[in-house]
Amino acid sequence: MNERTILYVMGVSGCGKSTIGKRLAKELDLPFFDGDDYHPIENVQKMAAGKPLNDQDRKGWLEILNDLAYRQKDTGAVIACSALKKAYRKLLVGRLKEKAIFIYLEGSFEQITNRLMARKNHFMPAHLLKSQFETLEIPSNALTISITKSPEEMVLQITNELKSM
């Protein structure tokens, strides 16, 4: 990996994308962007109302994130984004080609449900987690990191694996 790579930290809501993404960005001295901050207001309102997003809802958001990543291609960045389907990841890579790496934070439905139940002040209701797991297409070409480890252990594993790439 070089310093100009875009790292997408991905997984279902509540897996730790923002926490790990921020720590990883700090460790690698890269800017961090939380994909949730780029959702159109309609998407946020839909999720807050307890309705899952569909492919059409996500398309524009994913294109916005790809544009953001493309603007960071010369410096690199860490972007937290669910990237649940292979087609979504293809949109996120877009013009980046080989400059994107996905880091999949893997956890069970039960583990992540427990995390979501403890989380406050987030627009994504815990009951929408089921729809995210139903949508999730586990990536075959990503670094897979178990959420059973501490955030420090997860970041250390990610950085070690990135060094060997």
Side-chain angles (χ1 to χ4, degrees):
M1 184 204 95
N2 67 49
E3 65 280 350
R4 295 179 305 242
T5 301
I6 302 300
L7 302 172
Y8 285 108
V9 180
M10 62 159 290
V12 297
S13 183
C15 70
K17 296 181 296 289
S18 298
T19 299
I20 299 305
K22 287 175 189 173
R23 287 174 178 248
L24 182 60
K26 184 176 182 184
E27 179 71 23
L28 298 175
D29 195 26
L30 291 172
F32 171 75
F33 301 93
D34 193 325
D36 285 346
D37 295 339
Y38 295 86
H39 268 295
I41 189 68
E42 300 82 13
N43 286 6
V44 174
Q45 289 171 339
K46 187 172 183 178
M47 288 183 284
K51 298 175 184 168
L53 298 179
N54 60 37
D55 289 353
Q56 192 57 42
D57 296 326
R58 288 187 179 101
K59 187 174 188 289
W61 172 61
L62 295 166
E63 289 169 344
I64 289 168
L65 292 179
N66 177 253
D67 287 342
L68 170 68
Y70 191 74
R71 290 192 308 271
Q72 300 296 317
K73 72 179 177 3
D74 293 329
T75 57
V78 176
I79 300 174
C81 171
S82 53
L84 298 174
K85 288 185 175 183
K86 184 177 182 178
Y88 301 168
R89 294 187 289 275
K90 187 175 178 182
L91 279 171
L92 288 167
V93 170
R95 300 173 285 169
L96 295 172
K97 310 272 185 274
E98 71 283 346
K99 289 186 169 238
I101 296 173
F102 288 90
I103 301 162
Y104 170 50
L105 304 185
E106 180 181 52
S108 71
F109 182 79
E110 292 75 22
Q111 289 168 321
I112 296 173
T113 297
N114 291 336
R115 286 181 172 201
L116 283 177
M117 298 306 278
R119 189 161 73 173
K120 295 175 179 27
N121 300 320
H122 194 273
F123 60 80
M124 175 78 169
H127 72 273
L128 287 183
L129 183 60
K130 184 175 185 292
S131 72
Q132 288 215 330
F133 268 94
E134 289 168 353
T135 302
L136 177 64
E137 295 172 359
I138 296 172
S140 59
N141 59 344
L143 297 180
T144 299
I145 308 296
S146 171
I147 67 164
T148 59
K149 299 175 182 182
S150 71
E152 296 81 11
E153 291 171 318
M154 292 169 70
V155 170
L156 180 61
Q157 181 182 352
I158 294 166
T159 56
N160 285 339
E161 290 193 33
L162 290 172
K163 286 176 192 170
S164 68
M165 296 180 92

